[in-house]
Amino acid sequence: VKWSLSVPQKWKQLSRLQRMVVLFLLVVLMLFGLRSYVHVADEWGCLRGGTAIWQRQERDGIIVRVTLVSVQKPQRHFRRGPPNLQIRAPEGDSQERRQDQAQKRAEVVGEAGWGAEAQRDGLRWRGAGTKPEQGPRHPLKNAEFSSWPFQQQALRIRAHRASQNARQKAVVDAFLHAWAGYRKFAWGHDELKPLTRSFSEWFGLGLTLIDALDTMWILGLKKEFQEARNWVSKKLRFRKDVDVNLFESTIRILGGLLSAFHLSGDVLFLNKAEDFGNRLMPAFRTPSKIPYSIVNIGTGAAHPPQWTSDSTVSEVTSIQLEFRELSRLTGDKTFQEAAEEVTRRVHGLHGKLDGLVPMFIDTNSGSFTQLGEFTLGAGADSYYEYLLKQWIQGGKKERQLLEDYLEAVDGIRKHLLARSEPRKLTFVGELNHGRFSAKMDHLVCFLPGTLALGAHHGLPAEHMELAQALMDTCYQMYRQMETGLSPEIAHFNLQRTKAVKDVQVKAADRHNLLRPETVESLFYLHRLTGDRKYQDWGWEILRSFNTYTRVPSGGYSSISNVQDPHHPQPRDKMESFFLGETLKYLYLLFSDDPDLLSLDTYVFNTEAHPLPIWAPS
């Protein structure tokens, strides 16, 4: 008290200059205090918003435990819905700017979870999980990931990387060669043109990069993964005036982001996936609830192709795995409800033939068009694949999906199967108004793997027998070509003569696009039978890719003539699925570890992106 009473007297004794100096210092201290308070408050706000912090324990330099601590998020909840999409430039109204700022804040929160190790070596390398959560106990919003069971197996792929065999290392070499070309000549663009050392755009969304994220994780390429992850964080923006194909963008972009999230645990990928999923939702606003095939992710305008009001059946029935998983993770049922409504409507449509569906469906009426035409190739293929895989994804509880799948397999046996001459190869043809055609797309080579997967999950043993017979046929589509690479479409000889090969190719069909379907099925057949001949067949195919499609300056190119080893005629295009699917399935094929992305724990979407089974067996 005595001191405080003397302060005014001492203040009066100071000179004017001394008083100004003291006042200046007080102002400076107040400013520093205010700045510190704002900084601490911002950090506390991020933590309350759900920051995820990874903690690890090491023993003798080996990570023995990785856990994820989730800080409690605020009690106030907001239901996320489709954004208000504006037909204007990114620097539009204040609402758009707020949305962009919210997205950036979400990325900061996601990056915070990487911790000090990310600053030291660029990536916390947790590896892929093999046992995800045991079902949709609760929605997983933002960074709410504590106690995920897949963390217990988080080092599987890191350990596997140390024990790669020679064939797996050859796949890694092929990937790095392809990636080097993309990184040097097409970075951030959709597809590499390896011959002209340039790029092509489809959606303008870094398609190859996103498609390859989980492949890099599985192959153990942490430096490449981190660089790609940084691009996603800083450069990937969906608020742009561009039309995308609903099906292709769902399986490649949405599926790729969801898979990258599950394998890495990085919330950045989930935030991006939710943003993108919201922007696809206008496609479902049709009179029939059958979605348009084209949607503009910047304006929200959706429409069918210019030449028709139809969507292909495969386009509208091969998006369910991704939308269902997005709903499970975010708690927003809108995605799942829209996708499953399509499945319900297709289930009840007239025009099927013993479970087989026509190729086209009208988005206005919701009815099949071009009735009487049935194929397992382009336009219908993944409809059958997703019947089985949705049933598996949901824990084998959705009986209607299983019944539709089993009926379709019976329909294939009854109407589309035939045997060639002279080797008696079993193949799947096409039916056009009752007339059988011995034509089989390379795309149909997904079927052996799908049949084998179903048999593994308890379906009839004859499904596996058919799978093995069709697998032999798909291999012969490679083996009987001079380059050892399959054509896009094959025709099978039905005449009994020994002078003709079973597999016939027309001039317009002899191109190879680096497709994955055969090596995909080889992976399933080897994983589920243990027969090493499937690995040997895959090795032959990889060697043929290296001989005839590898471009010295970086990348691989599709070719126009699989029958001319001297002039295969490169087409100057590397599809994104070569990195996203073909090389991934080859790597998994050459592994002898059945727990590396276990088929009892994961289901692969039609672009080879693994998603967790909701109730693993």
Side-chain angles (χ1 to χ4, degrees):
V1 176
K2 182 179 179 181
W3 180 83
S4 62
L5 291 175
S6 64
V7 168
Q9 297 176 355
K10 292 184 177 181
W11 176 258
K12 294 179 179 180
Q13 295 176 358
L14 296 177
S15 66
R16 184 175 181 181
L17 177 61
Q18 288 174 325
R19 293 178 187 175
M20 292 182 65
V21 170
V22 171
L23 290 173
F24 176 78
L25 291 174
L26 288 173
V27 170
V28 170
L29 289 173
M30 290 177 63
L31 289 175
F32 272 108
L34 179 61
R35 182 177 179 183
S36 299
Y37 170 80
V38 171
H39 179 69
V40 171
D42 284 346
E43 290 189 343
W44 178 244
C46 287
L47 289 174
R48 293 187 64 193
T51 300
I53 304 174
W54 287 94
Q55 298 177 344
R56 74 175 186 179
Q57 298 175 9
E58 296 188 11
R59 184 180 300 135
D60 297 329
I62 301 175
I63 300 177
V64 295
R65 185 178 182 186
V66 180
T67 57
L68 184 62
V69 179
S70 178
V71 182
Q72 183 178 3
K73 67 178 185 178
Q75 297 300 312
R76 191 177 181 186
H77 296 277
F78 295 90
R79 179 181 177 86
R80 297 189 185 181
N84 293 321
L85 302 175
Q86 306 291 332
I87 308 177
R88 60 178 68 210
E91 55 270 21
D93 62 19
S94 60
Q95 182 178 5
E96 285 192 338
R97 287 196 295 271
R98 289 195 299 271
Q99 290 175 345
D100 194 48
Q101 291 167 356
Q103 175 66 30
K104 291 179 179 179
R105 287 196 299 271
E107 291 168 9
V108 171
V109 173
E111 291 173 7
W114 290 60
E117 184 180 356
Q119 299 176 4
R120 182 174 69 253
D121 62 9
L123 178 64
R124 172 152 295 173
W125 198 241
R126 295 186 293 279
T130 59
K131 293 186 178 181
E133 60 278 20
Q134 303 295 309
R137 294 185 301 273
H138 52 77
L140 302 168
K141 295 291 286 184
N142 293 331
E144 195 173 350
F145 310 128
S146 58
S147 301
W148 275 31
F150 80 74
Q151 297 165 28
Q152 304 302 318
Q153 297 287 338
L155 304 175
R156 294 280 313 160
I157 286 191
R158 182 176 184 181
H160 182 78
R161 176 79 197 277
S163 60
Q164 287 176 348
N165 58 45
R167 289 180 174 181
Q168 286 179 300
K169 290 178 181 177
V171 176
V172 174
D173 174 76
F175 183 94
L176 288 174
H177 183 77
W179 187 253
Y182 175 77
R183 185 179 181 277
K184 186 173 183 179
F185 305 120
W187 183 250
H189 298 284
D190 282 342
E191 294 168 332
L192 169 67
K193 298 177 70 174
L195 298 181
T196 54
R197 303 181 185 183
S198 58
F199 58 85
S200 61
E201 296 287 34
W202 190 2
F203 308 141
L205 297 173
L207 200 57
T208 293
L209 187 149
I210 297 175
D211 229 358
L213 283 168
D214 56 3
T215 305
M216 287 183 277
W217 188 275
I218 293 166
L219 269 57
L221 302 174
K222 70 176 184 178
K223 177 179 132 182
E224 289 76 12
F225 181 90
Q226 171 65 17
E227 188 175 27
R229 188 262 180 203
N230 289 341
W231 183 89
V232 171
S233 174
K234 298 175 182 177
K235 300 293 185 179
L236 182 60
R237 295 288 184 272
F238 297 127
R239 189 162 45 104
K240 57 196 306 184
D241 185 1
V242 60
D243 283 352
V244 302
N245 180 279
L246 173 66
F247 164 68
E248 295 289 357
S249 62
T250 295
I251 65 172
R252 302 190 197 207
I253 298 176
L254 183 57
L257 291 170
L258 289 173
S259 178
F261 164 69
H262 276 297
L263 296 182
S264 70
D266 189 344
V267 70
L268 166 70
F269 300 118
L270 178 56
N271 287 335
K272 293 289 186 181
E274 184 176 17
D275 181 16
F276 190 64
N278 276 321
R279 294 174 183 276
L280 296 178
M281 289 304 292
F284 294 91
R285 297 172 190 158
T286 69
S288 66
K289 305 301 182 182
I290 302 298
Y292 293 125
S293 59
I294 307 296
V295 59
N296 188 301
I297 58 173
T299 68
H303 56 87
Q306 295 180 352
W307 58 89
T308 180
S309 62
D310 292 349
S311 293
T312 67
V313 172
S314 62
E315 282 181 319
V316 301
T317 59
S318 306
I319 55 179
Q320 281 70 20
L321 289 180
E322 299 82 1
F323 277 87
R324 281 156 51 111
E325 179 61 12
L326 185 58
S327 278
R328 192 179 71 94
L329 291 174
T330 64
D332 185 347
K333 297 301 181 184
T334 306
F335 307 112
Q336 181 172 353
E337 289 169 356
E340 289 186 344
E341 179 64 20
V342 178
T343 303
R344 285 190 291 271
R345 290 178 180 252
V346 171
H347 165 74
L349 286 182
H350 296 289
K352 295 181 184 179
L353 177 64
D354 294 326
L356 303 178
V357 294
M359 295 170 56
F360 297 99
I361 187 169
D362 187 274
T363 52
N364 293 319
S365 67
S367 301
F368 289 130
T369 62
Q370 301 186 33
L371 301 179
E373 299 178 12
F374 302 98
T375 177
L376 260 74
D381 51 350
S382 47
Y383 161 75
Y384 305 98
E385 176 188 358
Y386 269 38
L387 286 177
L388 175 69
K389 290 184 174 180
Q390 286 181 82
W391 176 69
I392 294 172
Q393 179 192 46
K396 306 179 189 176
K397 299 176 182 178
E398 297 156 289
R399 185 71 189 176
Q400 194 62 68
L401 294 168
L402 176 61
E403 291 176 357
D404 284 353
Y405 175 74
L406 291 173
E407 184 184 10
V409 174
D410 289 341
I412 293 168
R413 285 181 172 278
K414 183 176 180 180
H415 299 288
L416 301 182
L417 281 190
R419 300 184 75 186
S420 69
E421 296 292 342
R423 298 184 58 134
K424 309 293 185 183
L425 299 176
T426 300
F427 68 94
V428 178
E430 298 183 353
L431 199 64
N432 191 337
H433 300 283
R435 184 175 181 178
F436 181 80
S437 171
K439 168 181 174 289
M440 178 171 161
D441 292 0
H442 183 275
L443 288 168
V444 181
C445 286
F446 84 92
L447 186 58
T450 298
L451 289 168
L453 180 63
H456 173 69
H457 283 281
L459 302 190
E462 63 243 30
H463 287 205
M464 178 61 82
E465 295 172 5
L466 179 57
Q468 291 174 310
L470 291 172
M471 191 76 263
D472 292 347
T473 302
C474 289
Y475 169 60
Q476 288 299 323
M477 289 169 64
Y478 285 77
R479 180 75 172 177
Q480 294 189 24
M481 298 300 111
E482 288 77 0
T483 61
L485 294 174
S486 171
E488 179 72 0
I489 300 173
H491 290 77
F492 287 85
N493 175 52
L494 299 178
Q495 305 302 317
R496 295 187 177 182
T497 172
K498 294 183 179 180
V500 179
K501 290 182 179 181
D502 295 73
V503 183
Q504 307 291 308
V505 186
K506 295 183 178 181
D509 304 330
R510 59 190 183 184
H511 50 286
N512 181 286
L513 303 181
L514 312 173
R515 284 200 185 276
E517 288 78 21
T518 292
V519 295
E520 170 187 356
S521 287
L522 287 172
F523 157 66
Y524 282 107
L525 267 294
H526 172 259
R527 176 68 66 88
L528 300 176
T529 69
D531 193 333
R532 292 188 175 275
K533 75 177 181 182
Y534 299 119
Q535 289 182 319
D536 295 337
W537 293 355
W539 181 244
E540 291 177 22
I541 293 172
L542 177 59
R543 293 177 66 182
S544 294
F545 278 135
N546 280 329
T547 301
Y548 297 105
T549 71
R550 183 166 170 140
V551 178
S553 59
Y556 288 71
S557 175
S558 54
I559 59 175
S560 294
N561 192 345
V562 297
Q563 295 179 307
D564 189 344
H566 302 294
H567 302 286
Q569 302 173 31
R571 304 182 107 191
D572 196 23
K573 186 172 185 178
M574 184 177 77
E575 301 275 359
S576 76
F577 53 65
F578 182 64
L579 297 182
E581 298 187 74
T582 307
L583 293 180
K584 181 189 298 166
Y585 278 129
L586 281 168
Y587 184 86
L588 295 173
L589 166 64
F590 296 145
S591 171
D592 293 314
D593 180 2
D595 291 328
L596 180 60
L597 294 174
S598 168
L599 297 179
D600 293 318
T601 304
Y602 287 97
V603 61
F604 289 82
N605 85 337
T606 197
E607 190 74 8
H609 297 306
L611 301 173
I613 297 172
W614 295 350
S617 57

